[in-house]
Amino acid sequence: MKYIKYIFPVFVLALLVTSLLVTSSAEGKDGNNGNGKVVPGIEVLLNKKLDWLENKRVGLITNPTGVDSDLKSSVDLLYNHPDVKLTALFGPEHGIRGSREAGEYVESYIDEKTGLPVYSLYGPTWKPTEEMLADVDVLLFDIQDVGSNVYTYIYTLGFAMEAAAEYDKELIVLDRPNPIGGTKVEGPLRSEETVSFMGRFLLPVRHGMTVGELATMWNHEYSMGVDLKVVKMKGWKRTMHFEDTGLPWVMTSPNIPTKETAYLYAGTELLDDTSLSTGLGTTKPFELVGAPWIDGEALAKEMNNRNISGVTFRSAYFTPMFGKYEGELVGGVQVHIDDPSQINLVNLGLNLVDAMRDQNPEKFEMTSSYANLIGDPEVPEMIMNDEPVDRIIKSWEDELNTWVTEVRNQYLLYNPYPSGAQPYKDEGVLGILPLDLTAAPGQSVELTVQGYDKNGEKLDIAPSSVEWSTTNDIGYVENGIFHAEKEGQGKIVASYGDYTASRDVNVSATQIKNIRYGIHSAYSRIVFDLNKTVNNYTIKEKDDKLLLKIPYGEIEGELDEQGGTIDIKNSPVISSIDYRIENDVFVAAFNLKIDEVEYETPEFSSRIVVDLMH
């Protein structure tokens, strides 16, 4: 389960198993370092915060990890509660019941047990649509994360927040532990150059936050203006790992079957997008690593000599049942956990890559997507040039430390707090819509300001009471409308009383650089690669065609500036796309093979994606 590469959702490969596996923590109810059991957000909500749902229609975003301490499903707890009006369910990657393969499209359907509609938040539609939220007043998010920045569930949360902002819905996060702890933060802060599925949400490899803390940070740092509440856990401390919580472990996705896998994932996942195996297709994914040419004994000796804290390495040989090197004997090591609190996961992952590359540099390969995996476009070259691991890590430390102290540490909800940090205190939030603000010189964009005070009450904002400013002479705001004047990057700042919000602005012509496509079993995906994220395009049906129009569009890159045709092969619904410029508007005509076609427009950064349903 990880980022989307180019236009195809490629995460962790096929299902290792097809049904949900549940194991209890080895420490059981006497875990938690002898301090009792952590109470997850779902139980706190039902016991103490039920008034938050009073007279509201509730939509629940969850999966099999949404359970209480007794393994009762959050779906059942809410559906059967006489004071809760549950009206809709939303499923992330792997689906509401966890029965979908990694990267598989999860369609919308009716849940047989409750009779409620289940809407997919993975595949063509990641962000809840206005139609999906028609019978919802408040969204609940109850999913267990694993603490890695390439695990998709936290971005499902991010997209839900975007929808909540745009459609004025309340969002409540039912918080859960970060299983790998809340103290260590590791890896480069993701560069905007390496963004795909993550959209605006830039995190280091290991963020050291709970989902409630992430939502709080995003709401402020991206000026989203969401009516957000977090139901905090009772008893969780930042120093805890999952075994300390006393909670039962439910596999978070098919290839994270145990808490040990979750502990290692953020580190050993860094072997992906290379010719090395992360152990997928075995019973120990992300614990067994290697490659067919690796001498396991030599690798174990080398890794143990590197004195990596918290782990020990044992030579291992394994034959994956599926995925990379299916049916081949792979040599490598098994990573054994001695003390999860001591493991620096990024250091572990990069040292494994370094040691295995050194055994046979000619057979070590790295794909072009590795920068997207680690989040830094400079790291792949450093690895291929055999730069020492400590030098690679040092290259991002200053930026990471600045982000940790100036951003991340301002939004922590649980102790012990880092030196100099204070617990987050809600002072309300102000937001600016649209969340993605781009314009061409001469173009005008209407802005909306919304926000909530510290008590969750909506701010009554008169447009005339908002003070606006812009930077870098990119334009000006008058009567709530941004008028773009000069090409460049800048910010728009809105001030209302003691509240301030800012929005990044990109003023430039919209460049259409390429048109690509992919044929899936359920849909044909058409992708327009752009120089920036836009939301002012239109799609209309006309004469057996779909017409996509992008104002102020220019043809650049691999396309013919005079216009042309892209032939689409092997699609049952579309034969070709004609593209051209008409009066400063880019026009793409989808030549359909059928009279009518349903389509979805999932959101990507710097792309327009149209999924034509088969």
Side-chain angles (χ1 to χ4, degrees):
M1 179 170 184
K2 37 178 270 203
Y3 57 93
I4 285 184
K5 300 177 185 177
Y6 304 106
I7 66 171
F8 300 105
V10 180
F11 296 89
V12 173
L13 300 173
L15 281 170
L16 184 59
V17 291
T18 58
S19 63
L20 176 66
L21 298 181
V22 178
T23 61
S24 292
S25 168
E27 290 71 28
K29 296 187 178 182
D30 294 324
N32 197 7
N33 294 324
N35 295 323
K37 188 163 58 176
V38 170
V39 181
I42 179 62
E43 293 181 41
V44 178
L45 173 79
L46 295 176
N47 292 332
K48 296 188 176 182
K49 302 288 185 181
L50 206 56
D51 59 307
W52 287 4
L53 305 182
E54 187 175 359
N55 298 322
K56 295 175 182 176
R57 298 168 298 173
V58 177
L60 175 63
I61 304 170
T62 193
N63 69 357
T65 67
V67 295
D68 71 0
S69 301
D70 295 320
L71 295 172
K72 294 177 182 176
S73 166
S74 296
V75 176
D76 297 335
L77 291 169
L78 293 166
Y79 181 72
N80 295 323
H81 200 290
D83 297 325
V84 177
K85 188 176 181 180
L86 188 62
T87 57
L89 302 172
F90 299 83
E93 185 181 6
H94 305 294
I96 204 85
R97 304 293 182 188
S99 58
R100 301 290 176 169
E101 295 184 12
E104 180 184 359
Y105 169 52
V106 184
E107 74 278 3
S108 300
Y109 57 94
I110 299 297
D111 181 55
E112 293 182 2
K113 189 171 181 180
T114 63
L116 295 174
V118 181
Y119 297 108
S120 168
L121 297 184
Y122 187 79
T125 303
W126 297 329
K127 183 169 70 176
T129 65
E130 188 171 12
E131 292 75 18
M132 291 178 183
L133 298 175
D135 294 323
V136 172
D137 300 311
V138 55
L139 280 168
L140 303 185
F141 183 91
D142 189 21
I143 297 178
Q144 177 65 59
D145 182 38
V146 300
S148 162
N149 75 338
V150 294
Y151 212 58
T152 61
Y153 297 155
I154 57 176
Y155 303 110
T156 298
L157 169 61
F159 285 123
M161 293 179 66
E162 293 188 12
E166 292 173 10
Y167 306 124
D168 198 18
K169 305 293 182 179
E170 185 180 356
L171 191 144
I172 299 175
V173 177
L174 308 182
D175 218 359
R176 290 188 174 274
N178 184 324
I180 60 175
T183 59
K184 291 183 180 293
V185 182
E186 303 175 51
L189 182 63
R190 181 169 294 281
S191 164
E192 292 185 1
E193 300 174 48
T194 62
V195 166
S196 52
F197 183 77
M198 299 83 173
R200 71 189 85 254
F201 307 107
L202 306 179
L203 294 170
V205 174
R206 182 181 187 178
H207 51 73
M209 303 178 79
T210 69
V211 288
E213 291 173 332
L214 287 173
T216 303
M217 177 175 68
W218 291 340
N219 200 25
H220 286 274
E221 290 298 310
Y222 296 108
S223 296
M224 301 180 80
V226 175
D227 184 5
L228 173 71
K229 293 183 177 69
V230 177
V231 181
K232 293 172 58 176
M233 294 172 281
K234 180 181 178 182
W236 189 75
K237 297 180 175 62
R238 313 204 70 79
T239 51
M240 287 182 176
H241 290 75
F242 201 86
E243 63 194 32
D244 303 319
T245 65
L247 294 173
W249 173 262
V250 177
M251 58 187 281
T252 56
S253 55
N255 285 302
I256 308 289
T258 67
K259 61 182 182 296
E260 288 79 15
T261 318
Y263 289 166
L264 293 174
Y265 175 81
T268 54
E269 171 63 8
L270 296 179
L271 278 64
D272 204 2
D273 288 315
T274 72
S275 50
L276 306 175
S277 169
T278 57
L280 293 180
T282 76
T283 57
K284 293 288 186 180
F286 304 105
E287 296 179 56
L288 291 169
V289 297
W293 67 87
I294 292 295
D295 180 330
E297 288 75 14
L299 180 61
K301 181 178 180 180
E302 169 64 23
M303 291 303 299
N304 285 321
N305 286 340
R306 294 192 179 202
N307 295 318
I308 297 174
S309 299
V311 293
T312 302
F313 302 89
R314 177 187 64 85
S315 65
Y317 293 85
F318 53 92
T319 303
M321 298 169 59
F322 59 80
K324 190 185 295 184
Y325 304 127
E326 176 181 352
E328 293 186 52
L329 181 64
V330 175
V333 294
Q334 181 177 354
V335 184
H336 291 265
I337 299 173
D338 300 325
D339 183 352
S341 67
Q342 296 298 314
I343 306 173
N344 291 320
L345 290 166
V346 173
N347 179 62
L348 166 65
L350 291 180
N351 268 286
L352 283 166
V353 171
D354 183 70
M356 284 191 270
R357 180 208 55 220
D358 287 351
Q359 268 205 24
N360 196 326
E362 293 183 359
K363 291 189 176 181
F364 177 80
E365 297 176 356
M366 178 179 289
T367 74
S368 59
S369 295
Y370 196 85
N372 289 3
L373 173 63
I374 198 165
D376 188 327
E378 297 179 3
V379 169
E381 184 177 357
M382 298 175 75
I383 292 174
M384 297 305 292
N385 288 340
D386 200 14
E387 292 277 356
V389 171
D390 58 351
R391 188 178 301 170
I392 296 175
I393 292 175
K394 189 174 179 59
S395 70
W396 63 63
E397 279 188 339
D398 288 346
E399 182 183 23
L400 177 65
N401 291 336
T402 298
W403 178 80
V404 167
T405 56
E406 296 185 2
V407 181
R408 179 241 189 206
N409 287 357
Q410 312 305 310
Y411 302 103
L412 303 182
L413 304 175
Y414 305 91
N415 63 34
Y417 298 97
S419 176
Q422 298 293 325
Y424 169 79
K425 292 184 179 180
D426 196 348
E427 298 178 352
V429 64
L430 195 68
I432 301 174
L433 294 175
L435 297 173
D436 292 302
L437 183 51
T438 63
Q443 185 179 358
S444 298
V445 180
E446 185 175 356
L447 305 175
T448 301
V449 177
Q450 63 186 30
Y452 295 84
D453 65 19
K454 64 181 180 180
N455 299 314
E457 298 295 328
K458 191 169 185 176
L459 297 174
D460 185 13
I461 302 174
S464 59
S465 63
V466 179
E467 296 182 5
W468 296 93
S469 62
T470 61
T471 65
N472 296 342
D473 297 322
I474 54 174
Y476 63 95
V477 179
E478 187 175 66
N479 297 323
I481 297 176
F482 171 60
H483 301 274
E485 293 187 306
K486 187 180 74 172
E487 287 197 358
Q489 308 284 332
K491 286 184 181 293
I492 289 178
V493 179
S495 298
Y496 173 77
D498 294 331
Y499 299 95
T500 300
S502 66
R503 178 71 63 234
D504 291 333
V505 185
N506 181 344
V507 178
S508 64
T510 301
Q511 298 174 355
I512 297 85
K513 295 186 173 183
N514 196 14
I515 302 175
R516 300 178 285 121
Y517 69 92
I519 311 302
H520 300 253
S521 59
Y523 57 92
S524 296
R525 171 165 287 183
I526 312 299
V527 179
F528 296 82
D529 290 317
L530 311 177
N531 63 319
K532 61 182 182 179
T533 301
V534 301
N535 52 26
N536 63 333
Y537 65 90
T538 61
I539 300 179
K540 295 183 179 180
E541 296 185 40
K542 183 179 180 182
D543 301 330
D544 298 329
K545 300 178 187 292
L546 283 182
L547 294 181
L548 168 69
K549 295 186 177 183
I550 308 174
Y552 301 93
E554 297 179 354
I555 298 175
E556 297 287 345
E558 301 180 28
L559 300 176
D560 189 334
E561 292 184 4
Q562 304 304 313
T565 299
I566 303 293
D567 292 322
I568 309 295
K569 298 179 181 179
N570 302 320
S571 170
V573 294
I574 182 173
S575 60
S576 61
I577 298 174
D578 298 323
Y579 64 92
R580 59 189 181 275
I581 299 293
E582 291 182 358
N583 300 322
D584 294 327
V585 176
F586 173 85
V587 179
F590 293 46
N591 298 309
L592 303 177
K593 293 181 178 180
I594 56 179
D595 292 337
E596 295 182 357
V597 65
E598 295 183 2
Y599 63 89
E600 302 278 355
T601 54
E603 295 191 15
F604 284 82
S605 296
S606 302
R607 299 183 183 100
I608 294 175
V609 177
V610 183
D611 289 334
L612 306 173
M613 313 311 291
H614 294 169

